[in-house]
Amino acid sequence: MSTTLPLFWHLSSSSKKDRIDASVKLVSSLEHFQAQFEAPSPSEEDEGSDEKPDALDSLNAQDVSYSVRRLIRGLASPRESSRLGFSVALTELLSRIDTVTCSQIFTLIMDGTKSQGSMTGQEERDVLFARLFGMTAIIQSGLLVRTKPLPTSPSSATLASSVSGYEQILTELLVLGEKKAWLRESAWWAIGLAVDSLETAEVSWKDEAVNATAQHLFMENKVWSPEKIALALKLQRASEGLNWRSLVSPTFKNPDLLSNANLQTLALILKDINNDGSDGTTPKTAAAGGWKAQLHYVWDIMLDRLLNTSNAAKSNFPEFFRIVVDETLFSITSSPERKYWGFQIFQKALHLVSEDNMPMLFTKNLMRTWINHLSKQDRYLHKAAKQTAAEIHTFAQRNPKLGFALILQLTGVHGSQQFDKITKTKTVESIVSAMDIDDVKQYIDYLLKQANDSEVEVEIINARRRWIIDQLSALIRNGSIAKTGGWVESVLDWFVVNGLFVVKKKSEKSRFIALRQIPKPQFSDELRQSCRDKLLGCLADLTSHVTTIAGDNAKVKVAGAAADGELWVGKVLSTIEELKQDTKHVSSVVEADNEEEALRSKARELVDKLQKVSDDQQETASGTQLLLLASLVQQSCSDEVVSLDTIESCIDAATREFSLEKSKKKKKNRPSAPAEEDVDNDDDGDGDVPEPIDVIVDTIIGFMEKSTAYMRTVGNQVFSLMSGQVKSSTIDLILTQLETRDPTAEESGSEMDEDEDENEEADEDADDGSESSSSDADDDEGDDSNGEEVDEELRRKILEALSVNGIEAANEDDDESEEEYMDDDQMMAIDEQLAEVFRSTVNEKKASKDVDAQREATQFKNRVLDLVDIYIKKQPSSPYIVRLIIPLVDLITRSTSDEKQLSDKARGIVRSRIGKAKEFPVTCPSVAQDEDEVNKVFETLHKRARTERSPEYLSILSDCCIYLSQLLLLQVQVPSSGQESRSIPPNPVIIQYQKSLIDFTSRKNSSLNPSFFQQFIRRSRIAAWGLRNDLLELPEKAVNTYRRLQIYQLICDLLTEPPFDVSGSFPDSVL
């Protein structure tokens, strides 16, 4: 036993792995001992008076018999996890040895777990649990129904199991369940294990055991519980020959416990409440000792029997779920604990039901409870409701074909069309994301069919249409759904038809779904405006969406295009023009004038020409096409229209950019030739005609001022495509928008101009005659009094000023009262107070206008910064990036607290695009001029760094300086190890860093810090090597010891990874 004793200690470990390892080692050792043991013959057995222990000792090795007793005693130990470890080891040991009987082990368990009157409550509970675990170990080890006899003498054979042993264990488990209510579920679960082992066993006493089980459970005990339901279902499957009608009566009318006739009774029992059955109409039931969050195991048995059946048509699961779960656990009077069970049952059943039965789970009370508890976080079952939503999402991902059926239930009769909005979740959206293209098309068809219903009230159909519009736009906005299969075009066409046209006559063969039926009632103006807004919103999302298109040689990624390569805005514009031609079936909501139609035709002709440009200009041409097409769509769908002059200027700019009119100029009439020649001459640079790219970028900047996301998205995408054509004047145009200006001054100036115009018009109108003026004045007074909105706050302040001076407000009922007059002093006091009231009101309005103007200016600059970000990202090798650095630094360091968002965005651009740049401009239009500009910017940044107090801003300046130093180093030769610096031209990078080093070393209040130089040393080691002599000389000139130590640290950083061999770079004394 000396080899097995240490293993018992680890059986109580809190680690599951340690317990299992100890059990494996213990059982393996005991098997080895038992294999070497030889049982003595009967003639040699002459000692002992206790037969049962002698029988155990005589057939087993000493270590084995000791371990059996030790493991049984350990079941009652309260130490850590000893009960778990000892029960596992006992179960495994009993399953490996065949020298013990069921009755022997039962007797040892009963003797080792006797309760005494002096025991405390905890000790009594330990004993009861020991008996439960011991009985379970006998059952799970297979000893209960083992048929192999013990290896005794040939003349007698003792069986390991018997019907008496079975009844002993059954009776003891029933006693345990009756003694403590909280033990009943576990004790009956162990009985269920015994019934399962009996079903598969081949013992001769099987029928006797079944009859004994039925006698103890049903004949002697008439109280029903969920555990008894579970045992009845198991026995019915194993022993169909029993008279089940008499066994379950009078509680159940039908021997099949899950039949429709028994569902009401079954629901009362499964609620797990105590009922003595004294009224004669309800069964006598017994409840557990207390509520548990864990769902009872009887539900697994019932769901398995109802759902895992070969004949699903005969299953009454829908009726079972409605009565037992929905009308019982989810009823209005049900407790939160029962509703929690209901959510768990729903989650279990969701993964087991068939496609036909799945909609039956979303019953009325379940959906009401789920939506209520999911909508607010303070609800008692909010976490359970969220877990249910997560299970539905998981189910939809595993079964994408059932996604459409799930959406029908969530937005159907028992759910809500605004499910996601009410519950503040994305449940429906996540289900849609998991659906495949065929299900998405099916969902769209379902939505469009719901848009027309003449039998409901107008308010109801309008609310439904609003929901349909939101759902269709959400489909396009969802990035997880592939934009293929034609469903996107069908949605856009539906928006176009119902937003821009009125259906007069249906066309059943039309490719437009909205034309196959006349809407009844017709769409209201509000819904048409919503369709137009959603159309632009969808186009904004599609414009930024990247599609992979199969080209001639390889696949190409194109933004804003369909699978066939055509732009989405082009498809929408083609649909609009096609519907305009179909005057038989539709009529346009807004008619365009001849000038607008002519301009649209001209733009379309230009777009067709741009599609034929050469490959090297294809990207720029695509951007121009997108700009023109998007402007025409905006002209048709939004109140914020693009002016015709703007479109005309874009057309002219595109014509000059791609030289599309040169071939036609020779064929035109002679009177127009001089004007065209002037244009050509201006285009050569002698005139004042702006560059084509400047005109287009100016239009894009105008888009940034629009309030719609559609125009801003289009502007960003167009600029991204045309960024390769940007010129110096274009950079000037962009930087002009980022300049700091007072927006309130501009507004006041514009208001003064408007006032002057109004005064001039008023002077002209004054000459029309006095009689008409006087009559009009009377009318105007009436109009003003009726049309202007009363300022209640101003009215309150005036009345307060009057009441202070003893004057009450005028009342209509006081007409006959005697009028009181005020003296001059009272009039002057009131005049001063009224003037103060009016003055404060004007100041409040002005302050409000100033705040709004400042906010709009900040938002506009923020959008312009998007263009800067796009340009640096798309053109990292452009020489014009240098010109953007100072304005970006100004935005970071000189923005006010109200412009924090603007400052943060500029900081992000510098950090990500400039500070981490991997490409630098190599060639420039004018190398000498460009190098001079870089030197000036580099010098300016260093001067600012020497005076900048903020470490954060200093880090930004360091990133910019390193970027410019890399750019300058590409143009200036860097001295190598063996070269003398006198033979090399002065390096502007070294010069500026030398000045900064001197300032940092010699000036005590210098704003520079070591990190400013360390970043340069680590990222530009070759250039930083030129500072070695300065670093060696400066410690002697340091203003204090601390600065001297910092210089030594810089020298250490420089020598950590030198760019080449340093042996020849320093004198021997220095080394």
Side-chain angles (χ1 to χ4, degrees), residues 310-422:
S310 58
N311 192 354
K314 294 183 178 180
S315 176
N316 64 333
F317 173 76
E319 194 70 10
F320 167 84
F321 192 84
R322 181 182 65 83
I323 296 175
V324 179
V325 179
D326 188 66
E327 296 180 357
T328 304
L329 299 181
F330 284 112
S331 65
I332 298 178
T333 58
S334 182
S335 64
E337 292 79 6
R338 301 299 181 274
K339 292 177 180 178
Y340 181 78
W341 281 349
F343 282 129
Q344 288 184 309
I345 296 167
F346 172 82
Q347 294 171 19
K348 284 181 176 291
L350 182 64
H351 296 280
L352 298 175
V353 294
S354 61
E355 184 176 351
D356 298 332
N357 285 330
M358 190 269 293
M360 305 301 176
L361 293 176
F362 298 87
T363 49
K364 180 180 179 181
N365 294 329
L366 165 66
M367 293 298 296
R368 185 199 69 248
T369 306
W370 186 31
I371 292 175
N372 288 340
H373 287 273
L374 191 61
S375 58
K376 293 186 178 180
Q377 294 184 357
D378 58 350
R379 297 293 171 88
Y380 191 71
L381 297 177
H382 177 71
K383 290 185 178 179
K386 284 187 66 177
Q387 179 62 31
T388 302
E391 288 292 333
I392 290 179
H393 175 61
T394 304
F395 177 78
Q397 287 183 326
R398 294 177 180 176
N399 305 275
K401 292 185 178 180
L402 297 179
F404 176 59
L406 283 173
I407 292 178
L408 292 183
Q409 300 306 316
L410 298 182
T411 61
V413 178
H414 297 150
S416 173
Q417 291 181 344
Q418 306 292 337
F419 185 89
D420 283 357
K421 184 177 181 181
I422 294 174

Side-chain angles (χ1 to χ4, degrees), residues 898-1015:
D898 296 335
E899 299 176 328
K900 186 177 184 304
Q901 184 181 8
L902 190 66
S903 175
D904 292 342
K905 191 159 193 173
R907 183 183 293 106
I909 294 174
V910 172
R911 289 287 193 192
S912 60
R913 304 299 181 197
I914 295 177
K916 299 179 181 179
K918 296 181 180 180
E919 296 184 37
F920 303 92
V922 179
T923 58
C924 308
S926 177
V927 176
Q929 181 180 358
D930 181 73
E931 183 179 348
D932 185 58
E933 183 178 6
V934 175
N935 289 333
K936 290 181 180 179
V937 174
F938 189 67
E939 182 179 359
T940 302
L941 292 177
H942 270 270
K943 288 181 179 179
R944 288 195 181 186
R946 295 164 199 159
T947 58
E948 184 57 62
R949 294 295 178 183
S950 172
E952 183 180 3
Y953 294 160
L954 192 61
S955 176
I956 295 293
L957 293 171
S958 176
D959 289 338
C960 296
C961 288
I962 292 174
Y963 173 85
L964 293 176
S965 66
Q966 297 286 348
L967 184 60
L968 289 170
L969 290 174
L970 294 175
Q971 303 171 358
V972 179
Q973 184 180 1
V974 180
S976 60
S977 175
Q979 290 179 316
E980 293 292 335
S981 58
R982 294 189 303 271
S983 61
I984 303 298
N987 190 333
V989 176
I990 302 301
I991 292 173
Q992 293 303 324
Y993 272 102
Q994 285 175 343
K995 294 180 180 179
S996 297
L997 269 174
I998 294 173
D999 180 87
F1000 171 69
T1001 307
S1002 60
R1003 197 161 60 91
K1004 186 176 182 180
N1005 294 328
S1006 177
S1007 300
L1008 296 170
N1009 55 29
S1011 177
F1012 182 82
F1013 303 100
Q1014 287 173 344
Q1015 291 186 41

